Amino acid sequence: MAITLVNPKGLPEIGAYRQVSIATGSKLVFIAGQVAWDADGVTVGEGDLAAQVEQCYLNIGTALAGVGASFDDVAKLTVHVVDWTPDKMPLLMEGITRAATTLGTVPVPPATLLGVAALDVPEHLVEIEATAIIS
């Protein structure tokens, strides 16, 4: 495994992610921001943030598998949520939990959450990009 996730002493422990990832692989994998499209380009979960978060994570899992990687190789996630407010956190976490169940892993690399005004099309509520390291 090319990634070691840690929570250094002196930083808060956040259940949804680790504060630091240490990468030891030799290939960088940059995954384009994934939205809630299925394989046919149809939006999944229109109006449902949790369903869209779940689909984004599943799409990242598919992209990772396509290059011989998994969430164990992800060094960093960036999450963009339309009109973010803290009261949306339970829906975000619900989507992550559902995706983790399907994927059979808990994706907790360091992450940045950004509120944005809009994404590519009005029905998309979230976009998630990933950077991974593989040997």
Side-chain angles (χ1 to χ4, degrees), residues 105-126:
T105 186
V106 179
V108 292
T112 299
L113 173 62
L114 301 169
V116 296
L119 292 170
D120 59 330
V121 295
E123 60 266 19
H124 289 156
L125 304 175
V126 61

Side-chain angles (χ1 to χ4, degrees), residues 41-108:
V42 176
T43 298
V44 173
E46 192 167 337
D48 182 343
L49 180 60
Q52 290 199 15
V53 169
E54 177 183 16
Q55 186 64 44
C56 291
Y57 272 84
L58 296 178
N59 289 349
I60 291 168
T62 298
L64 289 165
V67 297
S70 72
F71 268 97
D72 290 338
D73 301 304
V74 174
K76 177 79 167 65
L77 293 171
T78 303
V79 180
H80 303 86
V81 181
V82 174
D83 297 326
W84 174 258
T85 55
D87 64 308
K88 293 181 181 178
M89 184 61 79
L91 294 171
L92 180 78
M93 296 308 299
E94 178 184 335
I96 293 170
T97 300
R98 291 183 347 205
T101 299
T102 301
L103 294 166
T105 186
V106 179
V108 292

Side-chain angles (χ1 to χ4, degrees), residues 2-14 17-23 74-77 108-111:
I3 303 295
T4 302
L5 301 176
V6 296
N7 275 323
K9 281 188 167 256
L11 293 177
E13 288 194 27
I14 309 295
Y17 63 89
R18 301 301 175 260
Q19 295 284 1
V20 176
S21 64
I22 302 165
V74 174
K76 177 79 167 65
L77 293 171
V108 292

